[in-house]
Structures are given as structure tokens and as C-alpha cells.
Amino acid sequence: DNLRDTASSFKRAFVVEIMGRDCGYLALVSAVTNGAEVMIIPEVEYNLDSMKKRLQDEIKNGRRYIIAMVSEGAKATTKIRDWLKDEVGMECRVTILGHIQRGGNPTVFDRLMAYEFMTKALDGLFKENRRNSIVVYNNSKIDYVSIDYSNSQKHRVKEELINISKHLCV
């Protein structure tokens, strides 16, 4: 919200690099929930030519700023900054959030979930002999999965989330 206020008042674009290594989930969720105009994630191909046309049309119709969420895994932060400045024609700044994203005060829900995770973990250790398992939140419940299973899985962004955000890539 603060970046949007600054971008608007100074008529600038901001490229916000979001952590996530090779997965664009955090950048996707950030783009959708914060109303970004551009989203660049490794899971979705993007088209700078069509985005340029869309953004320039919006600028002609009164848009004063652009927020571009770029996943660290896309390795495109500098490219998007230069593109916004040179091709779209808007002064641009880069903000790399990194691990600052992990901050913030926990909500009541966060604290309750932490308590439930701790209880499940201690029960697993001392009552259920689950020493080769980890505690997970899956399908709206707290459960165990084996460490081997967890290590063998690559997190994939849900197709539904990708579908609702594709308009930010074209």
C-alpha cells in the first residue's frame, strides 16, 4: 500500500521483487491481493509487447503509476525495470523485499495455528512415535506426512490461481 501511494504521487512505476526462489506463489498472491498491474513468475509465460500496449493505453486513460510484482525465481527484475522505463516510458524504482516479507505481527489465527501445530508435533513425538514425520496443514486440517514424502514433492502453484492472474502477464 505504501509503495502504491508513493508510485501514484510521484507518477512512477515500482518493480517489487518477491522472494520464493524458483516458485512464483508468493509473487502471484502478492500481485493478486495488492492489485498489481504486472506479474512476472516462472510458472507463466509473459508477453512484454502486449503488456506494453495495455499499460500505455491505461496511461493514456489516466493511469499514473504501475506496480509490477516479480518473483525472484523469474530472474527478471532488472529487465522489467528497464522495460518499464525505456519501453513503457515511466520512471521506475526497484524494491527488493527479500526476507523483510516474513515480518509482521501474528494474528489470532496465526497464534492458534502455531498452538495446534505444536500440540500435533508433541503428540507425534511422545504419543504416536512419528519421529520421521513432519506436521503439515493440508485440506483444512493439521496432519502428518513423512519426511521422505515431503522432500520428494515440488510445490506447484494451483492452476486456479494462475488462471485468475494471467491477465497480469499479457
Side-chain angles (χ1 to χ4, degrees):
D1 292 337
N2 292 337
L3 285 178
R4 182 172 301 286
D5 293 344
T6 301
S8 177
S9 62
F10 287 98
K11 298 181 182 175
R12 287 188 182 146
F14 271 87
V15 176
V16 183
E17 184 179 280
I18 307 293
M19 67 185 234
R21 192 170 283 179
D22 298 323
C23 179
Y25 175 78
L26 292 175
L28 185 153
V29 170
S30 296
V32 170
T33 59
N34 289 292
E37 288 70 41
V38 174
M39 178 189 76
I40 308 295
I41 63 174
E43 293 86 351
V44 177
E45 288 187 37
Y46 57 92
N47 184 320
L48 293 179
D49 291 332
S50 65
M51 279 194 284
K52 175 183 171 182
K53 181 182 178 342
R54 174 176 55 90
L55 292 172
Q56 286 179 330
D57 287 347
E58 290 177 10
I59 290 167
K60 283 178 192 170
N61 290 318
R63 171 164 297 288
R64 298 169 37 107
Y65 63 90
I66 297 168
I67 302 293
M69 299 291 187
V70 179
S71 170
E72 121 185 77
K75 296 175 180 48
T77 302
T78 302
K79 176 181 180 178
I80 300 303
R81 178 204 59 203
D82 294 345
W83 170 77
L84 283 165
K85 183 178 142 233
D86 300 335
E87 297 292 323
V88 177
M90 190 169 278
E91 186 179 344
C92 188
R93 298 288 188 269
V94 172
T95 299
I96 299 175
L97 290 180
H99 289 86
I100 239 173
Q101 289 177 259
R102 293 185 177 206
N105 296 325
T107 64
V108 170
F109 178 81
D110 296 332
R111 292 171 196 259
L112 182 59
M113 176 136 335
Y115 181 81
E116 291 174 10
F117 264 75
M118 177 198 67
T119 302
K120 189 77 165 178
L122 291 173
D123 287 348
L125 282 172
F126 299 114
K127 294 180 182 177
E128 300 176 38
N129 196 25
R130 295 280 193 150
R131 296 192 186 272
N132 293 319
S133 298
I134 61 170
V135 178
V136 298
Y137 184 73
N138 192 22
N139 295 323
S140 300
K141 70 177 198 165
I142 296 176
D143 204 357
Y144 302 103
V145 297
S146 73
I147 291 174
D148 291 337
Y149 174 80
S150 176
N151 287 336
S152 72
Q153 302 301 304
K154 181 176 179 181
H155 179 75
R156 299 201 191 292
V157 177
K158 290 180 183 177
E159 199 63 36
E160 307 88 68
L161 283 176
I162 289 175
N163 288 336
I164 65 171
S165 62
K166 275 191 177 174
H167 69 283
L168 299 173
C169 303
V170 293

